[in-house]
Structures are given as C-alpha cells and as structure tokens.
Amino acid sequence: MSKKRKIYNPLRLIRQLVAVICLLLFVVAFADWGNGTPTIDQLHTIASALAGWQFVPAILSVSGTTIVLLLLLTLLVGRIYCSVLCPLGVAQDAVNTLRNYHDKKAATRFAYRKADNWLRYLVLAVMALGIATGTGVVVALLDPYSIFGRIIYDGFRPLVQALNNALALTVGDTFGRETVSIAWLSSIIALGTMGIIGAIAWMWGRRYCNAFCPVGTLLGEVSRFALMKIDIDTEKCNSCGLCARKCKSECIDPKNHKVDPTRCVVCFDCIDVCSQQAISFSPIKIAKQNSHAKVETPQANKSVVGMSRGKFIASIAAATIPATEIAMAQGRRRGKGDGKCNGETRPVAPPGARSLSNLHAKCTACHLCVSKCPTHVLQPAVMEYGLQGMMQPVMRFDKGYCLYDCNLCGEVCPTGAIELLDREEKKMTFIGHAVFNKEHCIVNTDHVECGNCAEHCPAEAIKMVKSPIDRRTYPEVEKALCIGCGRCEYLCPAKPLKAITVKGYRTHK
C-alpha cells in the first residue's frame, strides 16, 4: 500500500517568515543598536509603528481603530496575533525550535492537556483591574509586549554594548564605544522572567501563553467565534495522535478529534505534520461549529466571581478602554500642585507625560523610550515613583539631560503615556525646576569661579549674581523660566552632591 505523499502547507512558511521579520524588528529596536545609521534608523521607525499594533498598548492609548482591527483579525482567523505579531510568543516558538533542533524527539513531546481556566481568567481579571486602577506595575509585569521589551533592553542590551566595544577595540572606533549601563532592578526582573518563560517554552512549548498570558486568554475567547479554524476530518483521520504530540499549545484532543480554539495559536504545525491530510484550516459551517463547540469547560470555571464567562469578558472589555481616562482623572485630582512624592523625592517624568498620573495609568514599562533616548537621561525607575511606577521611565540627570529640541520618546511611545509634542511645544513644557544649594557649590567650597550651569542653560533661566556677603558670584534660578531639562544638574562639577538639582512637577505646565 503506497504511503500518501506529505504536502507542505505554505501557510506555515508565510506565518514563520512574517513572525521572524516582526521579531527581528523588535530586537533591533529594543537592543538600542545602530542609532544614527540610516538603514537601522528606518528599521527602528518600522518597529516603533509595529509597537502601536500590540494589544495592550492599543487599549491603553485608547486606539479604537487598532483594537477593532485586531479583534476582526481574531474573529477571522483566530489567535494568529499570538504567533505572528506578539514578539514574546514568537520568541517562545524560537526556544521551542531550538529544543527540537537539540533533540529531534522533542518535536513530538507534547500531549493534549486540559485548559487551566481558573488561572487564565484570574490573571485576566488582575490585568483588567491593573488597567482600571492605573496600577502600572501590574500591567508591566503581565503585558507580553512589555516583558519582551525589557528582556531585550535590560537583559541583552548590555551584552550588545559589550560586543560593540569589543569590535571597536578590534577594528577601530568605526563602531564607537559605549558605556555599558545596567538598570539592576529591571535587569534582574527581565532576566528572571526570561529564565522562567524560556524554561517553560523549552519543556512545554506555549503553556505560558495558554495558562498565564492575559492577552492570549482574551483573544482566545474571541477566537471561539472565528470564521476560520483548524478542523479535523474524522473520515480521513487514522487516530495516530501525531498532531497532538506536535501541538505546542497542547490543545488538540486526538480521541475526540477536537481542537480547542481558545488555545490554538494557528501555527499550522498540525497541518504540516499530518500525512493523511485530515487537518485543514477552513471556514467552519455553523452546524459543524456547534457540534465542535463543546470543548472541555469544567463546571467550576463556568462562573468567575459569580458571573458567566461571557459577562465576565464583556465586563473586562467595557472596563479597560475607558479605565485609563478614569484613572488619569482621579490622578489629576490627587496630584494637583507640586506636592512631594515619596517623602522628599521629586522625580521628573519625561516631557509629553503630562502628569505622573497619566504616566502611571498608561505606561507598560516596555522601555522603548528608554532605548531611544539619545542622552540616556531616561532610565527605568526603581522606587522614585513608588511601587505603582516601578520600572517606568524617569529622568536621571546623573546619566544625561533632556535635549532642548528632542522629542524621540514621544515618537516611539505606543501607549500615549508620553505624548508626541512638536519641538516648539516641547521647549515650552515645564517638567520641573532647578534648585540651587550654595553649600555644595564649588564656588563656595573650593573658592573658584564656575558658572557652568548658567552658561549651558537653554532657557536662560540661570543668572550669575554676585553675593553681597562674600563677594563671590553664584547662580540664581528664575523658576518661571526653568523648564527642568536637567542640563545644569548634569554639567554641575560639584561632587559627591550636586549644587544644583531639578525637582519634578506632578503635573507638567
């Protein structure tokens, strides 16, 4: 009896090609490599635009068109977003491919597994609550796009910088040398997350996506009603179970010839591996869909916090989109004036953030803005903003200062946490003000002339005034003119404490 010739499915090749392109674009963007090179800068621009098509940033920026298009894509072909557009999902597929290359038998190490519905809906509820309350740290720790951004920027970027410096030593300064900088808290979180998700992908494929990722859970519910689905023809199927052993989502039940659409990421691996051509990706007729719709749904999971799954998902959808505006309004009421944050600290948020409440409500700490900052003044926060703003971008004037006519952070921000200001508006945005401390000034301590701060102030907010007491010339800050760019603090030669420091405003002026 002749064996049926296997026909390779071109859909899988196309999906893999597009997924790899998207992944590489994000890697180049977050690794902060090649800035100033025209070709690489073009790739950065494309990657920044692609970031706007990530699901959570689209919700936080209240981008109705993007959300509708992503939902329509899911209603058409299922969760293909997770295997093409989501960089964290594609990275897990890459880890799985490496495992299969390392061990050929590992390619068929999977088996059908019941869905962890209680965990999926719990994490989704926590994510929705984080968005609704403007708790940035919760969203940052759960959003797959932001997790990937931190893994690349905080985890791999220092290695890229070290490699760049090694090349500079080898072939000359054509490459340019960079100071290897590490944000320790973000790096520890990024590397720890990478280790956990990487280990799960190495052993169990897409289990993280289908048991923990809130975006996967939400899109999975939408994909129940998808027009195109993976379908098994029972007349052709010989029940070999190879499709289930190949499925990295562990969602194919070979005994009942069913595929769970809420967990299927439409990778087309099952189609490619089936020698009987019994698996297809095609429109599902209504009658057939109803007969296949009885995918395992434990009784205990039919209610989440006293409501049906449908009402639960609907409540999340209703809450998330306007939630950021509500959180921002509440934050504005709480944050009027220039009150102190965390006791004596006054952190400075980047121009375009508008206010700390807006930043906390919309920022997912993906660090795309941090990677693009040309002076590296933007750094991941530790506890400058408190727990709710952990890892969000903060101005660190010991690292650099905000360029007077630069608005790159607003150009790349996908969530609206940092709005794009035109250069003239940016120059007139007051994010903080400088404060002079005579005790630390070298004019007072070392009895030398300085004036560095006044000389380099782009807003001409600092004047040198002679003291009537000791007849020395000290800087004097005109608060009404100071925009808080931090150039004076960065260039101040006083050590270990700066003689002039910038205090941030809760609400920018």
mmCIF file of all heavy atoms in Angstrom, residues 165-199:
data_model
loop_
_atom_site.group_PDB
_atom_site.id
_atom_site.type_symbol
_atom_site.label_atom_id
_atom_site.label_comp_id
_atom_site.label_asym_id
_atom_site.label_seq_id
_atom_site.Cartn_x
_atom_site.Cartn_y
_atom_site.Cartn_z
ATOM 1 N N ASN A 165 31.751 47.277 21.940
ATOM 2 C CA ASN A 165 33.026 47.793 22.424
ATOM 3 C C ASN A 165 34.179 46.876 22.033
ATOM 4 O O ASN A 165 35.290 47.343 21.739
ATOM 5 C CB ASN A 165 32.977 47.970 23.938
ATOM 6 C CG ASN A 165 32.008 49.070 24.350
ATOM 7 O OD1 ASN A 165 31.577 49.869 23.522
ATOM 8 N ND2 ASN A 165 31.648 49.114 25.626
ATOM 9 N N ALA A 166 33.915 45.568 22.037
ATOM 10 C CA ALA A 166 34.947 44.623 21.620
ATOM 11 C C ALA A 166 35.294 44.815 20.149
ATOM 12 O O ALA A 166 36.469 44.780 19.756
ATOM 13 C CB ALA A 166 34.477 43.188 21.870
ATOM 14 N N LEU A 167 34.278 45.056 19.321
ATOM 15 C CA LEU A 167 34.518 45.320 17.904
ATOM 16 C C LEU A 167 35.269 46.627 17.711
ATOM 17 O O LEU A 167 36.118 46.756 16.823
ATOM 18 C CB LEU A 167 33.185 45.344 17.142
ATOM 19 C CG LEU A 167 32.463 44.006 16.985
ATOM 20 C CD1 LEU A 167 31.076 44.215 16.375
ATOM 21 C CD2 LEU A 167 33.279 43.055 16.112
ATOM 22 N N ALA A 168 34.944 47.613 18.540
ATOM 23 C CA ALA A 168 35.627 48.902 18.449
ATOM 24 C C ALA A 168 37.122 48.741 18.753
ATOM 25 O O ALA A 168 37.973 49.373 18.115
ATOM 26 C CB ALA A 168 34.995 49.908 19.403
ATOM 27 N N LEU A 169 37.426 47.895 19.732
ATOM 28 C CA LEU A 169 38.829 47.647 20.069
ATOM 29 C C LEU A 169 39.539 46.877 18.962
ATOM 30 O O LEU A 169 40.727 47.053 18.727
ATOM 31 C CB LEU A 169 38.914 46.869 21.385
ATOM 32 C CG LEU A 169 38.528 47.638 22.658
ATOM 33 C CD1 LEU A 169 38.483 46.694 23.848
ATOM 34 C CD2 LEU A 169 39.531 48.768 22.917
ATOM 35 N N THR A 170 38.785 46.015 18.274
ATOM 36 C CA THR A 170 39.385 45.141 17.265
ATOM 37 C C THR A 170 39.607 45.851 15.941
ATOM 38 O O THR A 170 40.685 45.773 15.346
ATOM 39 C CB THR A 170 38.494 43.898 17.038
ATOM 40 O OG1 THR A 170 38.295 43.237 18.288
ATOM 41 C CG2 THR A 170 39.154 42.942 16.045
ATOM 42 N N VAL A 171 38.583 46.551 15.456
ATOM 43 C CA VAL A 171 38.661 47.148 14.121
ATOM 44 C C VAL A 171 38.705 48.672 14.159
ATOM 45 O O VAL A 171 38.625 49.319 13.128
ATOM 46 C CB VAL A 171 37.464 46.690 13.257
ATOM 47 C CG1 VAL A 171 37.446 45.192 13.124
ATOM 48 C CG2 VAL A 171 36.147 47.199 13.850
ATOM 49 N N GLY A 172 38.809 49.243 15.335
ATOM 50 C CA GLY A 172 38.877 50.692 15.427
ATOM 51 C C GLY A 172 37.568 51.290 15.880
ATOM 52 O O GLY A 172 36.566 50.586 16.076
ATOM 53 N N ASP A 173 37.548 52.599 16.038
ATOM 54 C CA ASP A 173 36.382 53.281 16.587
ATOM 55 C C ASP A 173 35.301 53.578 15.558
ATOM 56 O O ASP A 173 34.472 54.461 15.752
ATOM 57 C CB ASP A 173 36.801 54.583 17.262
ATOM 58 C CG ASP A 173 37.469 54.326 18.601
ATOM 59 O OD1 ASP A 173 37.182 53.266 19.183
ATOM 60 O OD2 ASP A 173 38.271 55.164 19.038
ATOM 61 N N THR A 174 35.314 52.837 14.450
ATOM 62 C CA THR A 174 34.239 52.977 13.473
ATOM 63 C C THR A 174 32.900 52.672 14.119
ATOM 64 O O THR A 174 31.882 53.280 13.822
ATOM 65 C CB THR A 174 34.468 52.021 12.281
ATOM 66 O OG1 THR A 174 35.733 52.304 11.718
ATOM 67 C CG2 THR A 174 33.390 52.214 11.218
ATOM 68 N N PHE A 175 32.919 51.696 15.028
ATOM 69 C CA PHE A 175 31.691 51.292 15.698
ATOM 70 C C PHE A 175 31.326 52.259 16.823
ATOM 71 O O PHE A 175 30.173 52.383 17.179
ATOM 72 C CB PHE A 175 31.828 49.875 16.279
ATOM 73 C CG PHE A 175 31.808 48.808 15.231
ATOM 74 C CD1 PHE A 175 32.970 48.427 14.585
ATOM 75 C CD2 PHE A 175 30.632 48.191 14.872
ATOM 76 C CE1 PHE A 175 32.957 47.448 13.617
ATOM 77 C CE2 PHE A 175 30.599 47.213 13.900
ATOM 78 C CZ PHE A 175 31.770 46.832 13.275
ATOM 79 N N GLY A 176 32.320 52.927 17.391
ATOM 80 C CA GLY A 176 32.045 53.806 18.516
ATOM 81 C C GLY A 176 31.909 53.008 19.800
ATOM 82 O O GLY A 176 31.347 51.924 19.815
ATOM 83 N N ARG A 177 32.465 53.516 20.855
ATOM 84 C CA ARG A 177 32.408 52.809 22.134
ATOM 85 C C ARG A 177 31.279 53.363 22.989
ATOM 86 O O ARG A 177 30.995 54.552 22.967
ATOM 87 C CB ARG A 177 33.738 52.946 22.874
ATOM 88 C CG ARG A 177 34.912 52.413 22.066
ATOM 89 C CD ARG A 177 36.199 52.477 22.854
ATOM 90 N NE ARG A 177 37.340 52.153 22.004
ATOM 91 C CZ ARG A 177 38.591 52.063 22.450
ATOM 92 N NH1 ARG A 177 38.853 52.289 23.715
ATOM 93 N NH2 ARG A 177 39.559 51.776 21.613
ATOM 94 N N GLU A 178 30.665 52.483 23.738
ATOM 95 C CA GLU A 178 29.553 52.881 24.593
ATOM 96 C C GLU A 178 29.837 52.458 26.028
ATOM 97 O O GLU A 178 30.490 51.436 26.276
ATOM 98 C CB GLU A 178 28.239 52.222 24.125
ATOM 99 C CG GLU A 178 27.804 52.620 22.732
ATOM 100 C CD GLU A 178 26.489 51.971 22.357
ATOM 101 O OE1 GLU A 178 25.828 51.423 23.257
ATOM 102 O OE2 GLU A 178 26.129 52.014 21.176
ATOM 103 N N THR A 179 29.315 53.248 26.951
ATOM 104 C CA THR A 179 29.400 52.870 28.355
ATOM 105 C C THR A 179 28.336 51.824 28.641
ATOM 106 O O THR A 179 27.148 52.052 28.387
ATOM 107 C CB THR A 179 29.192 54.095 29.268
ATOM 108 O OG1 THR A 179 30.175 55.078 28.962
ATOM 109 C CG2 THR A 179 29.292 53.695 30.731
ATOM 110 N N VAL A 180 28.754 50.677 29.139
ATOM 111 C CA VAL A 180 27.800 49.614 29.447
ATOM 112 C C VAL A 180 27.050 49.996 30.720
ATOM 113 O O VAL A 180 27.633 50.095 31.796
ATOM 114 C CB VAL A 180 28.513 48.257 29.637
ATOM 115 C CG1 VAL A 180 27.506 47.168 29.979
ATOM 116 C CG2 VAL A 180 29.285 47.883 28.373
ATOM 117 N N SER A 181 25.757 50.249 30.563
ATOM 118 C CA SER A 181 24.937 50.667 31.701
ATOM 119 C C SER A 181 23.886 49.604 31.997
ATOM 120 O O SER A 181 23.303 49.031 31.074
ATOM 121 C CB SER A 181 24.248 52.008 31.418
ATOM 122 O OG SER A 181 23.435 51.915 30.273
ATOM 123 N N ILE A 182 23.687 49.345 33.260
ATOM 124 C CA ILE A 182 22.737 48.312 33.675
ATOM 125 C C ILE A 182 21.797 48.886 34.718
ATOM 126 O O ILE A 182 22.233 49.435 35.734
ATOM 127 C CB ILE A 182 23.466 47.083 34.264
ATOM 128 C CG1 ILE A 182 24.411 46.474 33.214
ATOM 129 C CG2 ILE A 182 22.467 46.036 34.733
ATOM 130 C CD1 ILE A 182 25.246 45.333 33.749
ATOM 131 N N ALA A 183 20.489 48.783 34.457
ATOM 132 C CA ALA A 183 19.480 49.127 35.456
ATOM 133 C C ALA A 183 19.196 47.843 36.240
ATOM 134 O O ALA A 183 18.478 46.962 35.765
ATOM 135 C CB ALA A 183 18.217 49.644 34.779
ATOM 136 N N TRP A 184 19.763 47.752 37.414
ATOM 137 C CA TRP A 184 19.838 46.469 38.109
ATOM 138 C C TRP A 184 18.470 45.869 38.418
ATOM 139 O O TRP A 184 18.252 44.679 38.200
ATOM 140 C CB TRP A 184 20.656 46.619 39.398
ATOM 141 C CG TRP A 184 22.109 46.828 39.127
ATOM 142 C CD1 TRP A 184 22.821 47.987 39.255
ATOM 143 C CD2 TRP A 184 23.022 45.853 38.623
ATOM 144 N NE1 TRP A 184 24.118 47.801 38.864
ATOM 145 C CE2 TRP A 184 24.284 46.500 38.476
ATOM 146 C CE3 TRP A 184 22.920 44.513 38.286
ATOM 147 C CZ2 TRP A 184 25.410 45.830 38.008
ATOM 148 C CZ3 TRP A 184 24.045 43.851 37.817
ATOM 149 C CH2 TRP A 184 25.271 44.507 37.678
ATOM 150 N N LEU A 185 17.536 46.662 38.915
ATOM 151 C CA LEU A 185 16.222 46.111 39.254
ATOM 152 C C LEU A 185 15.528 45.577 38.013
ATOM 153 O O LEU A 185 15.053 44.431 37.983
ATOM 154 C CB LEU A 185 15.349 47.177 39.924
ATOM 155 C CG LEU A 185 13.905 46.739 40.234
ATOM 156 C CD1 LEU A 185 13.904 45.601 41.240
ATOM 157 C CD2 LEU A 185 13.081 47.910 40.750
ATOM 158 N N SER A 186 15.488 46.397 36.964
ATOM 159 C CA SER A 186 14.841 45.969 35.723
ATOM 160 C C SER A 186 15.564 44.782 35.109
ATOM 161 O O SER A 186 14.939 43.868 34.544
ATOM 162 C CB SER A 186 14.795 47.127 34.719
ATOM 163 O OG SER A 186 13.977 48.166 35.195
ATOM 164 N N SER A 187 16.902 44.769 35.204
ATOM 165 C CA SER A 187 17.670 43.655 34.635
ATOM 166 C C SER A 187 17.396 42.355 35.372
ATOM 167 O O SER A 187 17.248 41.298 34.753
ATOM 168 C CB SER A 187 19.169 43.974 34.674
ATOM 169 O OG SER A 187 19.479 45.064 33.835
ATOM 170 N N ILE A 188 17.307 42.439 36.689
ATOM 171 C CA ILE A 188 17.019 41.235 37.478
ATOM 172 C C ILE A 188 15.635 40.693 37.144
ATOM 173 O O ILE A 188 15.446 39.484 36.939
ATOM 174 C CB ILE A 188 17.139 41.535 38.986
ATOM 175 C CG1 ILE A 188 18.615 41.790 39.358
ATOM 176 C CG2 ILE A 188 16.576 40.391 39.817
ATOM 177 C CD1 ILE A 188 18.804 42.307 40.765
ATOM 178 N N ILE A 189 14.652 41.607 37.066
ATOM 179 C CA ILE A 189 13.290 41.189 36.722
ATOM 180 C C ILE A 189 13.243 40.622 35.309
ATOM 181 O O ILE A 189 12.623 39.587 35.048
ATOM 182 C CB ILE A 189 12.315 42.369 36.871
ATOM 183 C CG1 ILE A 189 12.194 42.768 38.341
ATOM 184 C CG2 ILE A 189 10.931 42.010 36.309
ATOM 185 C CD1 ILE A 189 11.337 44.003 38.583
ATOM 186 N N ALA A 190 13.936 41.297 34.372
ATOM 187 C CA ALA A 190 13.935 40.852 32.970
ATOM 188 C C ALA A 190 14.582 39.485 32.816
ATOM 189 O O ALA A 190 14.035 38.588 32.155
ATOM 190 C CB ALA A 190 14.645 41.886 32.105
ATOM 191 N N LEU A 191 15.750 39.311 33.428
ATOM 192 C CA LEU A 191 16.455 38.033 33.296
ATOM 193 C C LEU A 191 15.707 36.913 34.018
ATOM 194 O O LEU A 191 15.676 35.769 33.545
ATOM 195 C CB LEU A 191 17.879 38.171 33.845
ATOM 196 C CG LEU A 191 18.803 39.079 33.025
ATOM 197 C CD1 LEU A 191 20.142 39.272 33.735
ATOM 198 C CD2 LEU A 191 19.027 38.501 31.633
ATOM 199 N N GLY A 192 15.106 37.245 35.173
ATOM 200 C CA GLY A 192 14.316 36.242 35.883
ATOM 201 C C GLY A 192 13.103 35.811 35.079
ATOM 202 O O GLY A 192 12.797 34.618 34.974
ATOM 203 N N THR A 193 12.410 36.799 34.486
ATOM 204 C CA THR A 193 11.255 36.491 33.642
ATOM 205 C C THR A 193 11.666 35.675 32.429
ATOM 206 O O THR A 193 10.999 34.715 32.042
ATOM 207 C CB THR A 193 10.570 37.795 33.183
ATOM 208 O OG1 THR A 193 10.260 38.589 34.324
ATOM 209 C CG2 THR A 193 9.290 37.492 32.423
ATOM 210 N N MET A 194 12.793 36.069 31.818
ATOM 211 C CA MET A 194 13.290 35.343 30.653
ATOM 212 C C MET A 194 13.604 33.893 31.016
ATOM 213 O O MET A 194 13.288 32.970 30.257
ATOM 214 C CB MET A 194 14.546 36.019 30.117
ATOM 215 C CG MET A 194 15.149 35.327 28.895
ATOM 216 S SD MET A 194 16.683 36.110 28.338
ATOM 217 C CE MET A 194 17.788 35.666 29.700
ATOM 218 N N GLY A 195 14.213 33.699 32.184
ATOM 219 C CA GLY A 195 14.541 32.336 32.609
ATOM 220 C C GLY A 195 13.302 31.481 32.812
ATOM 221 O O GLY A 195 13.254 30.322 32.382
ATOM 222 N N ILE A 196 12.276 32.065 33.445
ATOM 223 C CA ILE A 196 11.049 31.309 33.718
ATOM 224 C C ILE A 196 10.310 30.981 32.431
ATOM 225 O O ILE A 196 9.960 29.821 32.162
ATOM 226 C CB ILE A 196 10.134 32.108 34.671
ATOM 227 C CG1 ILE A 196 10.786 32.238 36.052
ATOM 228 C CG2 ILE A 196 8.763 31.444 34.792
ATOM 229 C CD1 ILE A 196 10.056 33.172 36.990
ATOM 230 N N ILE A 197 10.065 32.022 31.601
ATOM 231 C CA ILE A 197 9.316 31.797 30.363
ATOM 232 C C ILE A 197 10.108 30.917 29.398
ATOM 233 O O ILE A 197 9.547 30.050 28.724
ATOM 234 C CB ILE A 197 8.960 33.150 29.700
ATOM 235 C CG1 ILE A 197 8.024 33.945 30.614
ATOM 236 C CG2 ILE A 197 8.301 32.930 28.342
ATOM 237 C CD1 ILE A 197 7.654 35.306 30.084
ATOM 238 N N GLY A 198 11.431 31.123 29.350
ATOM 239 C CA GLY A 198 12.270 30.289 28.489
ATOM 240 C C GLY A 198 12.256 28.832 28.902
ATOM 241 O O GLY A 198 12.186 27.935 28.050
ATOM 242 N N ALA A 199 12.297 28.588 30.211
ATOM 243 C CA ALA A 199 12.265 27.208 30.701
ATOM 244 C C ALA A 199 10.932 26.538 30.395
ATOM 245 O O ALA A 199 10.883 25.359 30.009
ATOM 246 C CB ALA A 199 12.542 27.185 32.207
#
